[in-house]
């Protein structure tokens, strides 16, 4: 007896991810598993590489532009870009443009190995010479100025004669009738698969255009560098020592003598307002941008915008005085009598209401 074949719909796995895919007709990007499942890249680098491959040509993907688009810091985004460069998914070069300026050219690769092989094959190959034209070169003229001999050609390989086909006489006979195949049993109808409800995709609002100010747009006025209200030599000396020693804890902030001289009033204003030197050092040097091109400009901006408020003014204390009449203590800015003695004297000097 034939074995009965049972066909049933495939069951969903009991654990792990279950893909519920909908056929896309627009708004999608083909991403290679070489990037999405790379074992040497971090999750941030994989996500950033996927986002870059989904962008159209000409889109800005600098560190500052990506930091404005995503919540990660500029340092983490720069590290992810370096990972993509190390594994060949990204290539950044500097090119000269008009006016003596430099521009960054960024190339994104979805198949780094194939791109490397394509660049290797870009060299011109040697021309192919046919076999009939290959000859042994000889001198241009014969001995004693005689005519030049003909070029010696390579001998062609001898051809092996092909064997003649053997003819076999075939006697005519009656055609052999093949047995008819037995009819196969009709397969049983397969049960219809149970439709799985597919959730409706969530509507994600399309990102609006980024508003970038034009080069001629008016800029905000520069915040002036603060200065102490009561400058002293000790205050300025402490501020200069703090600025000169920044490179010990933050090597990127190695300042020149002129930069230290220009930033001393700002640090002195912080110290005058009660800020400790270690707090000032941490506030002006923590989390610098990558790369840091102008340390002095960054310090000037942070000293001007992050300065703490001045401490509250102290309440004046009224001194104690001794009463000239009863020797009782009372608070007053000038010596004299207390309130009780002043009231008693005012009562004594007033006229009697009965007139007697």
């Amino acid at each position: 007896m034939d074995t009965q074949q049972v066909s049933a719909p495939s069951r969903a796995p009991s654990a792990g991810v279950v893909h519920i895919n909908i056929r896309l007709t627009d708004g999608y990007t083909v991403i290679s598993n070489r990037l999405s499942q790379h074992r040497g890249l971090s999750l941030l680098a994989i996500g950033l590489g996927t986002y870059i491959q989904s962008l159209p040509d000409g889109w800005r993907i600098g560190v500052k532009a990506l930091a404005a688009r995503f919540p990660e810091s500029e340092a983490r985004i720069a590290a992810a870009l370096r990972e993509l460069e190390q594994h060949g998914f990204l290539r950044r070069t500097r090119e000269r443009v008009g006016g003596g300026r430099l521009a960054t050219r960024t190339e994104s690769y979805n198949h780094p190995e194939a791109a490397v092989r394509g660049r290797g094959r870009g060299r011109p190959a040697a021309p192919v010479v046919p076999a009939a034209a290959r000859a042994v070169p000889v001198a241009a003229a014969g001995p004693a100025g005689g005519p030049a001999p003909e070029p010696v050609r390579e001998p062609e390989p001898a051809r092996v004669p092909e064997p003649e086909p053997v003819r076999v006489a075939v006697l005519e006979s009656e055609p052999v009738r093949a047995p008819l195949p037995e009819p196969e049993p009709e397969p049983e109808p397969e049960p219809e698969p149970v439709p799985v409800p597919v959730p409706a995709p969530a509507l994600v609002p399309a990102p609006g255009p980024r508003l970038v100010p034009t080069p001629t747009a008016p800029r905000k006025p520069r915040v002036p560098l603060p200065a102490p209200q009561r400058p002293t030599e000790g205050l300025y000396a402490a501020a200069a020592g703090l600025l000169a020693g920044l490179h010990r804890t933050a090597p990127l902030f190695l300042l020149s003598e002129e930069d230290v001289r220009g930033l001393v009033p700002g640090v002195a204003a912080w110290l005058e307002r009660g800020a400790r030197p270690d707090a000032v050092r941490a506030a002006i040097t923590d989390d610098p941008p990558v790369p840091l091109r102008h340390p002095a400009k960054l310090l000037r901006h942070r000293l001007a915008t992050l300065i703490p408020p001045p401490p509250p003014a102290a309440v004046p204390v009224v001194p104690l005085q001794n009463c000239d009449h009863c020797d009782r203590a009372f608070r007053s800015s000038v010596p004299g009598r207390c309130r009780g003695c002043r009231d008693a004297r005012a009562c004594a000097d007033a006229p009697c209401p009965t007139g007697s």
Side-chain angles (χ1 to χ4, degrees):
M1 296 177 61
D2 295 338
T3 304
Q4 186 178 3
Q5 297 180 357
V6 180
S7 177
S10 60
R11 299 176 60 185
S14 59
V17 65
V18 178
H19 294 280
I20 302 176
N21 297 328
I22 301 175
R23 184 178 179 83
L24 302 177
T25 58
D26 58 351
Y28 64 92
T29 303
V30 179
I31 302 296
S32 172
N33 286 343
R34 292 176 178 85
L35 173 62
S36 60
Q37 299 182 8
H38 201 283
R39 301 297 297 271
L41 290 174
S42 62
L43 283 177
L44 177 59
I46 292 175
L48 187 56
T50 303
Y51 172 74
I52 291 174
Q53 291 191 12
S54 67
L55 296 177
D57 291 345
W59 201 271
R60 293 184 177 272
I61 57 168
V63 175
K64 294 187 179 297
L66 292 173
R69 171 64 175 82
F70 295 102
E72 283 75 14
S73 63
E74 294 184 3
R76 296 188 62 191
I77 291 177
L81 290 176
R82 288 194 295 269
E83 286 186 49
L84 293 174
E85 282 186 306
Q86 291 174 0
H87 291 85
F89 290 96
L90 205 67
R91 184 185 180 194
R92 293 184 291 183
T93 56
R94 303 282 286 177
E95 297 181 355
R96 291 190 177 274
V97 296
R101 295 176 299 173
L102 292 175
T104 302
R105 174 184 175 87
T106 307
E107 298 176 351
S108 176
Y109 298 93
N110 62 350
H111 196 320
E113 295 83 2
V116 171
R117 290 196 299 266
R119 288 198 297 268
R121 290 196 301 267
R123 300 178 181 177
V128 179
V129 181
R134 289 199 296 267
V136 180
V138 296
E150 296 182 358
V152 181
R153 301 183 182 275
E154 295 180 358
E156 297 183 358
R159 296 183 179 178
V160 180
E162 298 179 357
E164 296 182 358
V166 180
R167 298 180 181 179
V168 181
V170 179
L171 300 178
E172 295 182 357
S173 61
E174 294 182 359
V176 181
R177 296 181 180 179
L180 297 177
E182 297 180 0
E184 297 180 358
E186 296 182 359
E188 296 182 0
E190 299 180 359
E192 297 182 358
V194 180
V196 180
V198 179
L203 298 178
V204 179
R210 294 183 59 193
L211 302 179
V212 180
T214 59
T216 57
R219 297 184 179 182
K220 296 177 62 176
R222 189 177 182 181
V223 182
L225 188 68
Q229 297 292 332
R230 298 179 180 85
T232 60
E233 293 184 1
L235 194 64
Y236 273 76
L242 189 148
L243 289 171
L246 285 180
H247 66 278
R248 297 189 183 96
T249 57
L252 295 178
F253 294 89
L254 181 59
L255 305 176
S256 64
E257 184 178 357
E258 184 178 359
D259 293 336
V260 171
R261 191 181 300 110
L263 296 174
V264 159
V267 178
W270 282 55
L271 297 177
E272 186 186 38
R273 296 189 179 190
R276 299 193 310 273
D278 55 346
V280 178
R281 189 181 300 106
I284 63 179
T285 60
D286 280 357
D287 195 14
V290 179
L292 180 60
R293 296 187 177 88
H294 304 287
K297 290 184 179 180
L298 177 64
L299 294 179
R300 181 184 181 89
H301 173 74
R302 291 185 174 182
L303 287 173
T305 56
L306 303 179
I307 185 171
V315 179
V317 179
V318 180
L320 288 173
Q321 306 287 345
N322 289 335
C323 179
D324 296 340
H325 184 265
C326 65
D327 202 19
R328 184 181 300 173
F330 68 98
R331 293 192 177 276
S332 176
S333 56
V334 294
R337 294 188 177 186
C338 62
R339 180 178 297 180
C341 293
R342 289 197 303 269
D343 293 344
R345 184 174 181 179
C347 251
D349 293 342
C352 183
T354 58
S356 57

